[in-house]
Amino acid sequence: MTTSLVLAGGGVTGIAWETGVLLGLRDSGIDMTALVDRAIGTSAGSVVGAQLLGGTDLADLYAAQVADEHHEINPDLDLDLLARVFGLMEDGGTSSDQQRREIGRLALGARTVDEATRRRVIEHRLAGIDWPTTELVVTAIDAESGEFVTWTRTSGVSLIDAVASSCAVPGVWPCVSIAGRRYYDGGLRNGTNAFLAAGSREVVVIAPRIAGPSPAADAEVEQLRRDGTIVRYIQSDHETATAVGINSLDPAFRRPAAEHGRRQGRLMAALFDE
């Protein structure tokens, strides 16, 4: 029986907020690196999971998020294309390979920066980090088949490629090439993919909800509870959403996201007393 940490998608501000939550929990005596046996990361969560388990201290990760300097790209968003992409999702998720194939078609045809340029961003996020000893599961979607896939240290895929594929928001970033296939963001199944934590004794879910609720993700959390799993669910609150705004890909909002995450982490430590 394990304790699993589920880290959801949420863009650049999601990375900052989740980092802040984790540090806020540690401020209050809850050190997730010492508690979890497995981390499941989707999109932004794959970055945070790799950083958390990869040996970099949370204080240093937090300092990088509140610093003015960064190596992120602020994308020029095609709002019409994004509306088509996310319009194919129902209740914050997709339920079929067919839906995900259609999203993949849009992703493969989108005009974005090239793969090498985008990969350098991921390389900087994960500088000096390789697959950790503690189990890390990273989610992605095959752009052509629509198949939902997971990467681990035994998959034969570099951590950078795995995380890059999980963070490849369709219509914003290029699909990632791995062994002759192209992959995009695992958050297009749903932003949390908490079902992967089935069989755990306890699960901690950390999920930014800047774009609003996700019934598809919430349903998986409730199923875990019905199966007898102890679930502690931490979501961004109204104060966080107001401070961060609606564009989760804008690096200018990393600082308020991290600061509000730390505030919430300190508050949410009370969940671990239950």
Side-chain angles (χ1 to χ4, degrees), residues 65-88:
Q65 293 301 326
V66 299
D68 292 332
E69 294 184 1
H70 62 82
H71 292 78
E72 302 293 335
I73 301 170
N74 193 355
D76 184 12
L77 301 179
D78 184 337
L79 297 181
D80 289 337
L81 177 58
L82 287 176
R84 293 170 65 193
V85 168
F86 289 98
L88 290 164

Side-chain angles (χ1 to χ4, degrees), residues 169-245:
V169 181
V172 178
W173 306 122
C175 294
V176 172
S177 301
I178 299 175
R181 307 291 296 180
R182 305 287 299 285
Y183 296 90
Y184 67 84
D185 191 336
L188 274 292
R189 181 189 176 278
N190 72 58
T192 306
N193 294 308
F195 81 102
L196 292 170
S200 302
R201 181 176 63 87
E202 297 185 31
V203 176
V204 179
V205 181
I206 301 179
R209 287 286 177 259
I210 305 303
S214 174
D218 292 346
E220 293 186 350
V221 170
E222 290 309 309
Q223 183 61 55
L224 289 173
R225 287 176 169 147
R226 285 194 295 271
D227 291 341
T229 303
I230 299 169
V231 180
R232 297 178 173 90
Y233 199 1
I234 301 173
Q235 302 182 66
S236 50
D237 60 15
H238 177 72
E239 191 174 345
T240 296
T242 300
V244 173

Side-chain angles (χ1 to χ4, degrees), residues 37-105:
D37 306 291
R38 172 175 59 182
I40 297 162
T42 292
S43 198
S46 71
V47 175
V48 178
Q51 292 176 333
L52 176 71
L53 300 180
T56 307
D57 189 79
L58 272 171
D60 294 330
L61 295 172
Y62 181 85
Q65 293 301 326
V66 299
D68 292 332
E69 294 184 1
H70 62 82
H71 292 78
E72 302 293 335
I73 301 170
N74 193 355
D76 184 12
L77 301 179
D78 184 337
L79 297 181
D80 289 337
L81 177 58
L82 287 176
R84 293 170 65 193
V85 168
F86 289 98
L88 290 164
M89 300 178 71
E90 301 170 357
D91 294 329
T94 55
S95 57
S96 71
D97 288 352
Q98 181 177 352
Q99 289 170 302
R100 293 186 282 270
R101 281 196 298 271
E102 180 59 21
I103 292 172
R105 185 185 67 80

Side-chain angles (χ1 to χ4, degrees), residues 97 100-101 140-149 181 183:
D97 288 352
R100 293 186 282 270
R101 281 196 298 271
I141 295 170
D142 187 307
E144 294 181 349
S145 72
E147 178 187 5
F148 177 77
V149 302
R181 307 291 296 180
Y183 296 90

